[in-house]
């Protein structure tokens, strides 16, 4: 029987002298005067385990196959290490080659690879220092997110992935069908497709957001959150957009935009602190390799107040900046990445929450302000990334919501149940969505969103 085994992270805690077995994938092998020094890693922590094999401990034909990428198991004894930068190492007594990785063909040799090259080998990039660190951080943040909400009594709700409603009313949805594309059924006497023959008897899509369904749960369980995959069929080939990404969406009854902003700020600071407390070796690597101010910035953000400004004020700052914008700003225009970055990186030098956007550029469900022009929206903008959270107080008044659905040209009958929530037991409520990958980018300093998700989906790319 082969059983789950002590990881290298656990081996590092063994007392010197302990007999043990280590296993993992070879990072490097160095030979000196017949002694073999092999570094292995099993993904459990950033540090590699150094294994020292005395001359003659392993047959020559076996050690020749202990090359980068090979999988090995070594029996031996943990000893204090004379080498710099590691407290202990394994004095190996017997080595078993579990899986060779011929150097002529294994794509990830010892040399440093750039991130674009590594993206071509998504099935091996996981063994590199960078992606080991990225996915350990991603794992820790996932846990921190659940911990944050569970500690505060929020209910975790699983909203549907296959859906028949457009949560953002923006139409950027992937359609899901089992119809024969070569032979589509038509409505009698028309060119329109007859979806009554489709799997769900009507058009269905991959969800763009779980928000509307989360509202159903908030209006029964008070404080809820989702954490799941969402899909956007926007043709955005940027370093910040994915066609499949993960989103965390808290939704709170008896809550307004003020409370929403407060939760968002507390939430982001909690995640940052948790990651610094649990992944410091990984963060130190990112700090050293990719983003020299990473840890200082994270510490600063966790300890300072976010700036909060209304959209109108943000536009005033941008207009009077003296900058030549690629996308000109005026009241009514949506903020572009360059504007968001200016506000966070130049004006405030920290995260900024922009509120009360013009209603024309925001979704139909946002609560209208008394000025008739703006809505109770908020975007949390982060330095280096731009928008990381989008949220709002929701329109809880039936007549106003109905007007907004019509004004946005959305099919009223598709939102019957959503309107019912305003007909029966309506209450002020609010929520937001955090883009999970954008958060991981912020925490790691990685500049391309494709490098913080295991299997990125972008226009033209869906490998695996
Ligand atoms: O601003 P968005 O579109 O808001 C919503 O979907 C609301 N229903 C959320 C809510 O109020 N419950 O998206 C929320 C966040 C963005 O701020 C961004 O961080 C991320 O999701 N996001 C993306 N991340 C990666 N790739 C994309 N294509 C993204 N689109 C949005
Ligand atoms: Mg948004």
């Amino acid at each position: 029987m082969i059983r789950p085994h002590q990881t290298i992270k656990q081996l590092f805690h063994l007392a010197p002298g302990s007999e043990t077995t280590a296993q993992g994938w070879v990072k490097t092998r160095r030979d000196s005067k017949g002694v073999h020094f092999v570094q292995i890693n099993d993904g459990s922590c950033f540090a590699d385990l150094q294994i020292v094999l005395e001359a003659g401990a392993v047959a020559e034909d076996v050690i020749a196959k202990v090359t980068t990428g090979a999988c090995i198991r070594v029996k031996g004894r943990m000893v204090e290490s004379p080498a710099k930068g590691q407290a202990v190492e394994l004095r190996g007594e017997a080595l078993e080659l579990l899986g060779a990785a011929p150097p002529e063909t294994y794509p990830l040799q010892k040399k440093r690879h750039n991130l674009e090259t590594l993206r071509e080998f998504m099935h091996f990039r996981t063994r590199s220092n960078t992606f080991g660190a990225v996915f350990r951080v991603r794992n820790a943040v996932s846990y921190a997110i659940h911990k944050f909400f569970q500690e505060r009594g929020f209910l975790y709700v699983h909203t549907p992935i296959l859906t028949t409603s457009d949560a953002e009313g923006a139409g950027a949805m992937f359609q899901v069908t089992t119809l024969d594309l070569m032979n589509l059924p038509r409505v009698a006497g028309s060119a329109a497709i007859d979806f009554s023959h489709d799997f769900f008897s009507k058009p269905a899509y991959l969800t763009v957001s779980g928000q509307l369904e989360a509202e159903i749960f908030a209006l029964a369980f008070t404080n809820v959150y989702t954490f799941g995959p969402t899909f956007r069929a926007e043709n955005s080939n940027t370093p910040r957009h994915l066609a499949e990404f993960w989103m965390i969406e808290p939704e709170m009854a008896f809550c307004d935009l003020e409370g929403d902003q407060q939760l968002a700020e507390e939430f982001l600071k909690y995640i940052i602190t948790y990651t610094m407390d649990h992944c410091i070796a990984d963060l130190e690597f990112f700090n050293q390799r990719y983003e020299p101010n990473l840890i200082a910035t994270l510490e600063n953000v966790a300890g300072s107040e976010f700036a909060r400004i209304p959209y109108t004020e943000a536009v005033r700052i941008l207009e009077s900046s003296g900058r030549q914008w690629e996308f000109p700003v005026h009241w009514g225009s949506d903020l572009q990445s360059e504007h968001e970055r200016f506000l966070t990186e130049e004006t405030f030098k920290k995260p900024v929450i922009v509120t009360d956007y013009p209603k024309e550029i925001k979704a139909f469900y946002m609560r209208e302000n008394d000025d008739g022009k703006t809505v109770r929206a908020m975007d949390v903008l982060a330095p280096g990334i731009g928008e990381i959270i989008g949220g709002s107080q929701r329109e809880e008044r039936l007549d106003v919501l109905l007007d907004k659905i019509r004004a946005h040209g959305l099919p009223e009958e598709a939102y019957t149940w959503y309107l019912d929530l305003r007909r029966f037991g309506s209450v002020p409520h609010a929520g937001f969505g955090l883009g999970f990958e954008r958060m991981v980018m912020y925490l790691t300093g990685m500049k391309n969103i494709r490098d913080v998700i295991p299997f990125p989906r972008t226009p033209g790319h869906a490998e695996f």
Side-chain angles (χ1 to χ4, degrees):
M1 179 171 65
I2 300 180
R3 283 176 303 151
H5 168 87
Q6 289 203 91
T7 60
I8 288 174
K9 185 178 180 179
Q10 291 163 328
L11 297 189
F12 279 130
H13 294 290
L14 292 179
S18 306
E19 294 243 358
T20 190
T21 307
Q23 45 199 17
W25 292 268
V26 174
K27 277 277 174 67
T28 60
R29 189 192 90 218
R30 183 168 58 82
D31 306 314
S32 172
K33 301 179 186 129
V35 184
H36 309 290
F37 299 88
V38 184
Q39 307 271 346
I40 64 167
N41 191 284
D42 66 356
S44 59
C45 59
F46 187 83
D48 299 330
L49 175 68
Q50 167 150 290
I51 299 171
V52 182
L53 295 148
E54 295 298 338
V58 190
E60 283 306 310
D61 60 325
V62 175
I63 199 74
K65 290 186 179 145
V66 177
T67 54
T68 302
C71 191
I72 62 171
R73 176 186 296 146
V74 180
K75 258 186 80 160
R77 189 184 294 277
M78 297 302 290
V79 297
E80 278 173 29
S81 174
K84 257 181 61 185
Q86 55 187 28
V88 287
E89 60 188 26
L90 183 76
R91 196 53 58 91
E93 283 145 24
L95 182 147
E96 200 181 333
L97 180 70
L98 301 177
E104 317 78 63
T105 43
Y106 182 61
L108 291 195
Q109 291 307 316
K110 192 190 158 197
K111 77 177 181 67
R112 196 181 277 188
H113 298 273
N114 67 35
L115 298 171
E116 287 75 22
T117 310
L118 287 169
R119 244 175 258 146
E120 289 164 29
F121 300 102
M122 271 187 279
H123 52 311
F124 290 130
R125 70 175 185 171
T126 38
R127 295 183 193 170
S128 65
N129 285 336
T130 297
F131 289 94
V134 164
F135 294 122
R136 276 187 300 275
V137 168
R138 192 178 161 108
N139 168 68
V141 178
S142 305
Y143 181 68
I145 286 165
H146 284 295
K147 195 160 146 45
F148 176 86
F149 288 117
Q150 294 294 329
E151 282 170 357
R152 284 158 186 75
F154 281 59
L155 182 102
Y156 177 32
V157 51
H158 300 100
T159 50
I161 292 166
L162 285 170
T163 180
T164 52
S165 52
D166 182 354
E168 291 298 300
M173 299 195 291
F174 286 100
Q175 189 161 357
V176 178
T177 180
T178 51
L179 290 178
D180 177 359
L181 298 181
M182 299 299 283
N183 191 15
L184 291 168
R186 304 285 170 180
V187 176
S190 134
I193 296 166
D194 183 357
F195 284 103
S196 68
H197 294 281
D198 205 350
F199 192 89
F200 298 106
S201 305
K202 53 179 165 179
Y205 308 90
L206 294 177
T207 187
V208 293
S209 156
Q211 178 197 320
L212 304 195
E213 293 91 348
E215 285 184 53
I216 297 178
F217 273 68
L219 268 59
F221 295 90
T222 308
N223 294 326
V224 305
Y225 70 105
T226 72
F227 185 175
T230 47
F231 307 85
R232 305 256 168 124
E234 353 166 279
N235 201 356
S236 312
N237 237 322
T238 82
R240 322 181 300 135
H241 287 89
L242 290 165
E244 175 179 298
F245 64 100
W246 287 64
M247 188 153 50
I248 300 94
E249 296 185 273
E251 191 68 35
M252 297 149 292
F254 316 101
C255 183
D256 62 8
L257 190 65
E258 203 47 48
D260 208 23
Q261 291 177 72
Q262 207 171 314
L263 186 85
E265 181 166 346
E266 194 184 329
F267 178 47
L268 293 181
K269 289 176 174 172
Y270 181 97
I271 295 175
I272 292 172
T273 306
Y274 183 92
T275 309
M276 286 199 296
D277 288 348
H278 293 83
C279 300
I280 196 65
D282 295 318
L283 295 186
E284 276 165 359
F285 166 77
F286 292 121
N287 198 94
Q288 176 235 319
R289 172 79 72 88
Y290 294 104
E291 181 65 70
N293 288 320
L294 181 70
I295 293 178
T297 305
L298 292 176
E299 272 168 357
N300 180 34
V301 167
S304 62
E305 286 204 355
F306 292 8
R308 297 186 187 190
I309 51 165
Y311 166 89
T312 303
E313 171 69 7
V315 168
R316 202 192 52 73
I317 294 173
L318 295 166
E319 279 177 332
S320 58
S321 68
R323 284 271 172 128
Q324 280 301 98
W325 301 111
E326 190 188 339
F327 298 92
V329 251
H330 55 87
W331 201 96
S333 63
D334 206 356
L335 300 185
Q336 303 295 325
S337 181
E338 55 174 340
H339 310 131
E340 296 175 342
R341 295 192 60 168
F342 183 84
L343 292 170
T344 52
E345 290 163 34
E346 319 259 333
T347 313
F348 293 101
K349 301 192 165 45
K350 59 182 178 181
V352 181
I353 310 183
V354 180
T355 58
D356 302 288
Y357 284 78
K359 64 178 178 184
E360 283 76 19
I361 57 171
K362 287 293 182 187
F364 70 94
Y365 52 70
M366 298 189 181
R367 193 182 200 279
E368 202 155 301
N369 281 317
D370 293 341
D371 63 11
K373 293 191 297 189
T374 58
V375 286
R376 306 244 74 197
M378 67 165 188
D379 276 4
V380 182
L381 314 177
I385 301 195
E387 180 190 337
I388 189 164
I389 281 180
S392 66
Q393 184 173 333
R394 319 305 188 191
E395 185 55 74
E396 86 284 13
R397 298 162 296 184
L398 177 64
D399 50 336
V400 185
L401 182 61
L402 200 52
D403 286 348
K404 287 167 71 80
I405 286 177
R406 289 175 184 155
H408 277 82
L410 296 169
E412 203 177 306
E413 59 294 349
Y415 297 94
T416 313
W417 57 269
Y418 192 65
L419 290 159
D420 271 352
L421 295 175
R422 278 74 183 165
R423 280 192 186 97
F424 308 105
S426 190
V427 63
H429 60 290
F432 63 80
L434 168 69
F436 184 53
E437 284 73 22
R438 295 206 184 155
M439 187 69 210
V440 179
M441 287 172 79
Y442 191 57
L443 290 164
T444 56
M446 298 301 280
K447 298 286 179 282
N448 193 315
I449 200 163
R450 294 164 180 79
D451 295 329
V452 296
I453 187 163
F455 302 100
R457 273 85 182 85
T458 52
H461 295 277
E463 307 313 319
F464 300 84

